[in-house]
Amino acid sequence: MRAVDVIIHKRDGRELTAEEIDFLVRGIASGEIPDYQIAAWAMAVLWRGMTIRETVRLATSMALSGEQLDLEKWAPGAVDKHSTGGVGDKTTLVVGPIVAACRIPVVKMSGRGLGISGGTIDKWESIPGFRTGLSREEILRQVKEIGLVACGQTAELAPADGRLYALRDVTGTVPSLPLIAASIMSKKLATGARSIVLDVKAGSGAFMETVADASTLARWMVRIGQGAGRRTIALVSGMFQPLGFAVGNALEVREAIETLRGAGPRDFREHCLTVAAAMLQIGGRVPDARMGRALAAEKLDSRDALAKFRALVRAQGGDERACDDLSLLPAAPCRGDLAAEKSGYLAEAHAGKIGLASVRLGAGRAKKGDTIDPAVGIVLKVKVGDKVKKGDPLCEIHAASPEALAQARNELRDAFRIAHEKVKPLPLFYKTIRR
Amino acid sequence: MRAVDVIIHKRDGRELTAEEIDFLVRGIASGEIPDYQIAAWAMAVLWRGMTIRETVRLATSMALSGEQLDLEKWAPGAVDKHSTGGVGDKTTLVVGPIVAACRIPVVKMSGRGLGISGGTIDKWESIPGFRTGLSREEILRQVKEIGLVACGQTAELAPADGRLYALRDVTGTVPSLPLIAASIMSKKLATGARSIVLDVKAGSGAFMETVADASTLARWMVRIGQGAGRRTIALVSGMFQPLGFAVGNALEVREAIETLRGAGPRDFREHCLTVAAAMLQIGGRVPDARMGRALAAEKLDSRDALAKFRALVRAQGGDERACDDLSLLPAAPCRGDLAAEKSGYLAEAHAGKIGLASVRLGAGRAKKGDTIDPAVGIVLKVKVGDKVKKGDPLCEIHAASPEALAQARNELRDAFRIAHEKVKPLPLFYKTIRR
């Protein structure tokens, strides 16, 4: 088999065979196929698309291209959850403890933030002392002891995906739905979880800007998961405004702890209950989502989930006193509000722009390797649909310096829009995709 | 400017600006743009196409990417001619001398054969002693002395095209008409001739298999030439059966000399007269093609063209006695006919299959760098439309060994088709494209 023939088949709109895809993925992983052939193939995929059969094979083959974690052996019945990323998305910090409190093991491997998408690893690390770089043995011990682990990737999962993604990034071949879906799912498949809940975001703060695009991506991912023999469902949720109020690492941890204490923003609590319900259902703990939601709410209200969170922080070297005393979390030296310029109803809190302002404050990375400031960020005071009076704070800015504060205030003005007429609150979820 | 943005613009179907194309070509020539970005861009061009404006700019920019020969200064009024390649195409050997005999300078730079397409350089070199690797100074002196030069490329013309073509070859991005046209024309533009006649072949022995495709390619090339300020016309000619009778280097030289002596196959003589007429017309020597044809025929019949051929052979170190004594040309040790299996009319002499059999005999190269045998090849005895009697020879095979002869005879059986009903001869030319 020759790589150029595989490219030509795709260029001519043919469905690639399983053997062709395996050949390609092996060549990508081993470096035997040169970058230029991979790049030409990726552009041909953008042009011609891929069938679901090709996409399942690509994801599976990439999952098999490197080390695999047999999560099912380590933690039988474990449920994995993946969010496509967004602004203020601290869901994992709350649903992990809820689900683990229901005796379903959760080993959540997360990444670092890049661009406006925050990274869960960065959020965990804003808790003083919290370690995310665990060895296989530590993960194994901890999941047995408390049923909950929050860590970075231990191994190079799906290395073929890593090389392919790096190439797509510099060849204009990122925006292919099958390639995006296969890329995400290859890493999920490599972790070995038998049940996967996908939280696919749609909006200005997400990779997919429309509900239609997010739904299509979700459908691709569900088909890949199911095609690879995993129980998989996807929730399509809104990312037109940030999730909850807080955007920024320690600020988000604070909001997660408040939520675990039974308070927290209503939308965020509701989001967590829905995601947790899906995890409990797919993990076989409850027969349907309604009962999952009730069980999740009970674990929040009983503080069982908070206890699990506390056990996790302790197990990973973090200062568990932060669960009781939020002042132990990093705090920014400069704070100031952005005031509403007129009265009315909040019509927009543009997640993309708020995310960008947060990155500029230092809460995120413009490029890989940038250092971040765990303390800084933005806390919304209102959400879309809320009544606003002129002069009221729209958000509070947490900055490292007065200059950064002033700059953020300036940038953020453009992120909010106030309307005269009543505005409906935004939906939290748009749809559930089961196949 | 970033290469990835140029790729994205093309991917999204936009027309690239002149600056973007120049940036790309400079980066290809200098090596600053990595292969994978060039490959992705080429596939995006296959997908989205290019406008004539983009294509003219690409060809011009590639022509400027390396050394340029100012042919117009060396040989004012010189006319260039280019064939897209075919089986048995020895036209240059005859039209060069005809046109030079009409006092229009011809500096014909040719290539070596690859695959079924023969190379004119290989044909010249089958004349004992003939040198094609001339220096600039030798070319200049010779064009002044006899007005006719037959050589390989002296400089690396259009190096950006060289790198781009090599990449296209291994990334499935060869079959893009604008890219093919820009590739050919970039080298023509770099030689600096002000007038160009293109002989674009259509058929099983050509790069373009249908008259429609060849016409489209011809139209692209004419537009590029004219867009770059050159007088350019294209003839679309048939390559469904070989041109003339002879296929193979020394065999074709023999046929060219016979034609220059006033004999030779009728179709080949006619082809040469038409191409020469176009060159004489575009070079301003005659007002129209009809008068060009008459002048060309006169130069053949008067043996003036043969005298020019002889002068060329002498000037380039070849054994000019071969013009009088064809037995001085290399000859193959084994000869044998392929006999017709039934009577009727010749309906097909498949140029592609005959070309392939000739390559297998050793007359051509399967890959670059292969050595060739100048003596071997195939000489047709009949052409499409001719009456055939069972047992008559369809062709004579010239081979290096009895085994090779037997194999070729076996392969060639499939190349000929005899019909019961009368068959019309094939047209030599399908159309002339002037813009």
Side-chain angles (χ1 to χ4, degrees):
Chain A
M1 203 177 286
R2 300 186 317 156
V4 65
D5 295 321
V6 181
I7 300 170
I8 287 170
H9 291 168
K10 184 40 72 184
R11 178 199 78 193
D12 294 345
R14 287 202 241 164
E15 184 180 51
L16 300 183
T17 64
E19 291 69 33
E20 286 178 316
I21 290 171
D22 291 350
F23 168 81
L24 203 67
V25 169
R26 269 197 311 271
I28 293 174
S30 70
E32 273 169 80
I33 298 181
D35 286 348
Y36 51 81
Q37 289 185 316
I38 303 168
W41 172 79
M43 187 60 84
V45 169
L46 251 81
W47 173 8
R48 299 297 196 172
M50 288 210 293
T51 63
I52 181 62
R53 196 155 53 170
E54 287 174 296
T55 312
V56 169
R57 190 69 184 203
L58 177 64
T60 313
S61 197
M62 291 199 299
L64 296 172
S65 71
E67 199 174 343
Q68 286 148 82
L69 308 177
D70 196 354
L71 202 56
E72 189 57 27
K73 212 166 76 186
W74 297 6
V79 176
D80 203 357
K81 170 243 164 199
H82 179 82
S83 156
T84 58
V87 178
D89 184 6
K90 71 248 23 156
T91 311
T92 293
L93 279 67
V94 173
V95 299
I98 293 175
V99 173
C102 298
R103 298 189 310 280
I104 287 187
V106 177
V107 177
K108 183 70 188 85
M109 293 188 182
S110 304
R112 299 197 178 274
L114 186 60
I116 61 170
S117 260
T120 301
I121 287 294
D122 296 325
K123 294 171 193 175
W124 285 120
E125 289 185 351
S126 70
I127 300 172
F130 198 103
R131 284 173 51 233
T132 58
L134 305 184
S135 69
R136 264 171 177 267
E137 291 64 38
E138 286 174 312
I139 295 173
L140 187 55
R141 191 178 337 123
Q142 186 174 323
V143 76
K144 280 196 176 143
E145 279 171 12
I146 65 169
L148 180 58
V149 182
C151 57
Q153 285 187 11
T154 53
E156 200 196 357
L157 296 181
D161 173 67
R163 182 162 171 229
L164 178 57
Y165 191 86
L167 257 177
R168 286 167 56 209
D169 199 34
V170 291
T171 55
T173 50
V174 167
S176 151
L177 280 176
L179 288 184
I180 294 167
S183 171
I184 298 170
M185 293 305 291
S186 69
K187 281 169 287 193
K188 293 288 122 187
L189 298 179
T191 64
R194 290 281 160 268
S195 307
I196 304 165
V197 172
L198 302 165
D199 183 4
V200 182
K201 311 284 190 191
S204 66
F207 192 53
M208 295 289 139
E209 298 202 359
T210 67
V211 173
D213 284 351
S215 303
T216 309
L217 175 61
R219 211 164 290 119
W220 276 104
M221 292 200 290
V222 168
R223 284 181 189 155
I224 293 173
Q226 292 175 348
R230 314 298 167 96
R231 283 184 297 274
T232 313
I233 63 171
L235 309 169
V236 178
S237 62
M239 187 38 68
F240 296 93
Q241 63 182 343
L243 184 58
F245 294 133
V247 178
N249 301 287
L251 295 168
E252 294 188 41
V253 168
R254 167 189 293 260
E255 189 163 276
I257 294 172
E258 285 167 351
T259 305
L260 286 161
R261 283 177 182 171
R266 208 168 34 187
D267 68 328
F268 176 58
R269 175 186 160 95
E270 192 52 42
H271 187 93
C272 289
L273 290 177
T274 305
V275 173
M279 293 173 75
L280 293 171
Q281 187 195 353
I282 206 168
R285 186 72 181 70
V286 294
D288 60 36
R290 202 181 49 79
M291 290 181 72
R293 195 189 174 288
L295 181 58
E298 188 198 308
K299 294 299 171 189
L300 271 189
D301 298 337
S302 66
R303 307 293 185 271
D304 284 359
L306 179 62
K308 198 52 91 177
F309 181 92
R310 191 189 299 270
L312 172 78
V313 173
R314 188 191 317 127
Q316 297 193 208
D319 187 348
E320 63 175 295
R321 293 172 306 160
C323 302
D324 308 300
D325 181 359
L326 294 173
S327 72
L328 292 171
L329 293 172
C334 303
R335 296 182 194 189
D337 289 343
L338 171 70
E341 287 172 343
K342 62 179 182 181
S343 296
Y345 296 88
L346 190 68
E348 184 171 64
H350 192 281
K353 292 175 185 173
I354 293 168
L356 206 57
S358 163
V359 170
R360 293 233 178 87
L361 278 167
R365 294 178 187 82
K367 59 178 198 299
K368 270 186 196 170
D370 286 354
T371 55
I372 60 161
D373 181 342
V376 299
I378 296 154
V379 180
L380 302 188
K381 296 296 176 185
V382 282
K383 305 257 330 192
V384 169
D386 286 354
K387 206 168 175 176
V388 173
K389 266 218 306 263
K390 183 176 171 172
D392 277 0
L394 295 173
C395 67
E396 187 181 38
I397 300 160
H398 295 237
S401 69
E403 294 73 32
L405 179 62
Q407 197 199 333
R409 190 181 273 129
N410 217 25
E411 286 173 17
L412 282 165
R413 235 178 279 280
D414 194 37
F416 294 91
R417 197 162 50 79
I418 294 165
H420 278 298
E421 316 75 45
K422 257 198 158 169
V423 174
K424 274 199 202 151
L426 291 173
L428 285 180
F429 290 92
Y430 291 89
K431 56 182 79 169
T432 302
I433 288 167
R434 294 173 195 283
R435 52 164 289 132
Chain B
M1 203 177 285
R2 298 186 318 156
V4 64
D5 295 322
V6 180
I7 300 170
I8 287 169
H9 291 168
K10 184 40 69 186
R11 178 198 78 194
D12 293 345
R14 288 202 240 165
E15 184 181 51
L16 300 184
T17 65
E19 291 69 35
E20 286 178 316
I21 290 171
D22 291 350
F23 168 80
L24 204 67
V25 170
R26 269 197 311 272
I28 292 174
S30 69
E32 274 168 79
I33 298 181
D35 286 349
Y36 50 82
Q37 289 185 317
I38 303 168
W41 172 81
M43 187 60 83
V45 169
L46 251 81
W47 175 7
R48 299 298 196 170
M50 288 210 292
T51 64
I52 181 63
R53 195 154 56 170
E54 286 175 298
T55 312
V56 170
R57 189 72 184 200
L58 178 63
T60 313
S61 196
M62 291 199 299
L64 296 173
S65 71
E67 199 174 343
Q68 287 148 81
L69 307 178
D70 197 353
L71 202 55
E72 188 56 26
K73 212 166 75 186
W74 298 5
V79 175
D80 203 358
K81 171 244 164 197
H82 180 82
S83 155
T84 59
V87 178
D89 184 5
K90 73 250 16 158
T91 310
T92 293
L93 279 66
V94 173
V95 299
I98 292 176
V99 173
C102 298
R103 297 189 311 281
I104 286 185
V106 176
V107 177
K108 184 69 188 84
M109 293 187 181
S110 305
R112 297 197 178 274
L114 186 60
I116 60 170
S117 260
T120 300
I121 287 295
D122 296 326
K123 296 173 193 173
W124 286 121
E125 289 184 350
S126 70
I127 300 174
F130 199 102
R131 284 172 52 231
T132 58
L134 305 186
S135 69
R136 265 171 177 264
E137 292 63 39
E138 288 174 310
I139 295 173
L140 187 55
R141 190 178 339 121
Q142 185 173 325
V143 75
K144 279 195 178 145
E145 280 170 11
I146 64 168
L148 179 59
V149 182
C151 57
Q153 285 187 10
T154 53
E156 200 196 356
L157 296 181
D161 174 67
R163 183 162 171 228
L164 178 56
Y165 191 85
L167 257 176
R168 286 167 56 209
D169 198 35
V170 291
T171 55
T173 50
V174 167
S176 150
L177 280 176
L179 288 184
I180 294 167
S183 172
I184 298 171
M185 293 305 291
S186 69
K187 280 169 288 192
K188 292 288 124 189
L189 298 180
T191 64
R194 289 280 159 267
S195 306
I196 305 165
V197 172
L198 302 165
D199 183 5
V200 183
K201 311 283 190 192
S204 66
F207 191 53
M208 295 289 140
E209 299 201 359
T210 67
V211 173
D213 284 351
S215 303
T216 309
L217 175 61
R219 212 164 289 118
W220 276 103
M221 292 200 289
V222 168
R223 284 181 188 156
I224 293 173
Q226 292 175 348
R230 314 297 167 97
R231 283 184 297 275
T232 313
I233 64 173
L235 309 169
V236 178
S237 61
M239 188 38 71
F240 296 93
Q241 64 182 342
L243 184 58
F245 294 132
V247 178
N249 300 287
L251 295 169
E252 293 187 42
V253 168
R254 166 188 294 260
E255 187 163 277
I257 293 172
E258 285 167 350
T259 305
L260 286 161
R261 285 179 183 169
R266 208 169 34 186
D267 68 328
F268 176 58
R269 175 185 160 95
E270 192 52 42
H271 188 93
C272 290
L273 291 178
T274 305
V275 172
M279 292 173 76
L280 293 172
Q281 187 194 352
I282 206 169
R285 186 72 179 71
V286 293
D288 60 34
R290 201 182 47 80
M291 291 181 70
R293 194 188 174 291
L295 180 58
E298 187 198 309
K299 294 297 171 190
L300 271 188
D301 298 337
S302 66
R303 306 292 184 272
D304 284 359
L306 179 61
K308 197 55 91 175
F309 181 90
R310 190 187 299 270
L312 174 79
V313 172
R314 188 189 317 127
Q316 296 193 206
D319 187 347
E320 63 176 295
R321 293 172 307 161
C323 301
D324 307 301
D325 180 0
L326 294 172
S327 74
L328 293 171
L329 293 172
C334 304
R335 297 182 195 190
D337 289 343
L338 171 70
E341 289 171 345
K342 62 177 180 181
S343 297
Y345 295 88
L346 189 68
E348 184 171 65
H350 192 280
K353 291 175 185 171
I354 293 168
L356 206 57
S358 163
V359 170
R360 293 233 177 86
L361 279 168
R365 295 178 185 82
K367 60 177 197 299
K368 270 185 196 171
D370 286 355
T371 54
I372 60 162
D373 181 342
V376 299
I378 296 153
V379 180
L380 301 189
K381 297 295 176 187
V382 281
K383 306 255 332 193
V384 168
D386 286 354
K387 206 167 174 172
V388 173
K389 267 216 308 256
K390 183 175 170 175
D392 277 358
L394 296 172
C395 66
E396 186 181 38
I397 300 161
H398 295 238
S401 69
E403 294 73 31
L405 178 63
Q407 198 198 334
R409 190 181 272 129
N410 216 26
E411 284 172 19
L412 282 165
R413 236 178 279 279
D414 194 36
F416 294 90
R417 197 161 52 77
I418 294 166
H420 277 298
E421 315 77 43
K422 256 198 157 168
V423 174
K424 275 200 202 149
L426 290 172
L428 285 180
F429 290 93
Y430 290 90
K431 55 182 82 171
T432 302
I433 287 167
R434 296 175 193 282
R435 51 165 291 134

